[in-house]
Amino acid sequence: HLKPDPDVDPPLPGGPGIADADIMIYVTMVDTPVCMANITLAYALACNRDQIDRPTFGHINFCPRKITPETAAQERQHDLSTAIHEVFHIIGFSQQSFALFRDSAGNPRTARCPDAPNCQSSDPDGYPPALSDGRLFTDPNTVVEEGDPVVLRLVTPEVLRVAREHFDCDTLGGVPLENEGGDGTAMSHWEKRAVLNEFMVGQLSTTWDPVRSALS
């Protein structure tokens, strides 16, 4: 801890932190209400970001009742992919992080308040304006939202390059994001019907090994 934590009883003293570390991730294994409510194996979030929006602290919680004690190689591979999957949520693969992406020159891809259009008094400076559902607005140069029912596609330059090469389609207009599954799944994973068992889909199939690809 860099600062004393007043929310812990007795309070934890401040400390020097961790030298030469870019990010610190707290890992817990607790059956929380999120674990009990659905089939979630684990979940994660970024807790703090630096001055250019890179996460510096994150938290992963594994749901102990959903982790099987199997030792088969395929089960171990799925558990490993789950852990890597959650780390990716912390470092940027989530609908809240998409709004904070920056271009190759380090400039925000989405305009920030107070100068961005549609900012409200409740929107903090340095962040994009919030939408009515609580999400941060994300510029269409990063996420395109269209159609009925709504389909969201990630369209950053590197995602387009990798996807067009993989699918051999020079006009591919982005990779769709999951639009179902609730707050913990929708818009924070690839659409499974498009990439099957790529490890950043919302629910991996146990029939095939997860694939860690250049897409993510």
Side-chain angles (χ1 to χ4, degrees):
H1 292 270
L2 296 176
K3 299 179 180 179
D5 189 344
D7 297 324
V8 177
D9 187 21
L12 295 175
I18 299 178
D20 301 319
D22 294 319
I23 186 170
M24 184 166 70
I25 298 177
Y26 291 97
V27 179
T28 56
M29 197 168 188
V30 180
D31 267 323
T32 65
V34 173
C35 294
M36 306 298 285
N38 50 45
I39 61 172
T40 299
L41 297 178
Y43 57 91
L45 74 161
C47 305
N48 193 64
R49 299 176 187 272
D50 67 11
Q51 69 275 18
I52 54 172
D53 306 315
R54 294 185 303 186
T56 55
F57 291 87
H59 172 225
I60 300 174
N61 184 65
F62 291 92
C63 301
R65 296 190 184 188
K66 310 293 176 57
I67 302 297
T68 60
E70 299 292 338
T71 57
Q74 187 176 41
E75 290 294 339
R76 290 200 302 271
Q77 182 66 27
H78 277 268
D79 289 345
L80 174 61
S81 285
T82 296
I84 298 173
H85 175 110
E86 299 307 331
V87 170
F88 267 57
H89 280 316
I90 292 173
I91 63 176
F93 202 114
S94 71
Q95 55 96 358
Q96 291 295 81
S97 291
F98 297 152
L100 302 176
F101 277 9
R102 292 176 177 251
D103 62 23
S104 57
N107 301 309
R109 298 180 63 85
T110 298
R112 309 296 177 86
C113 294
D115 300 321
N118 302 316
C119 290
Q120 306 295 319
S121 59
S122 57
D123 293 322
D125 290 352
Y127 284 83
L131 302 174
S132 58
D133 60 4
R135 290 184 294 140
L136 295 177
F137 170 76
T138 304
D139 194 281
N141 67 19
T142 302
V143 175
V144 172
E145 185 172 340
E146 60 187 10
D148 185 16
V150 172
V151 174
L152 295 98
R153 291 180 284 112
L154 198 60
V155 294
T156 57
E158 186 64 8
V159 165
L160 287 177
R161 184 192 68 78
V162 171
R164 288 172 177 176
E165 179 179 326
H166 176 78
F167 291 105
D168 193 20
C169 177
D170 292 339
T171 60
L172 189 67
V175 180
L177 296 168
E178 181 60 69
N179 60 353
E180 297 181 342
D183 291 341
T185 301
M187 297 175 283
S188 292
H189 298 87
W190 297 126
E191 172 59 59
K192 189 177 180 69
R193 63 183 174 81
V195 297
L196 193 57
N197 232 36
E198 211 280 346
F199 81 107
M200 287 310 296
V201 297
Q203 184 176 354
L204 289 170
S205 169
T206 57
T207 305
W208 304 283
D209 287 338
V211 176
R212 294 189 284 277
S213 76
L215 193 61
S216 296

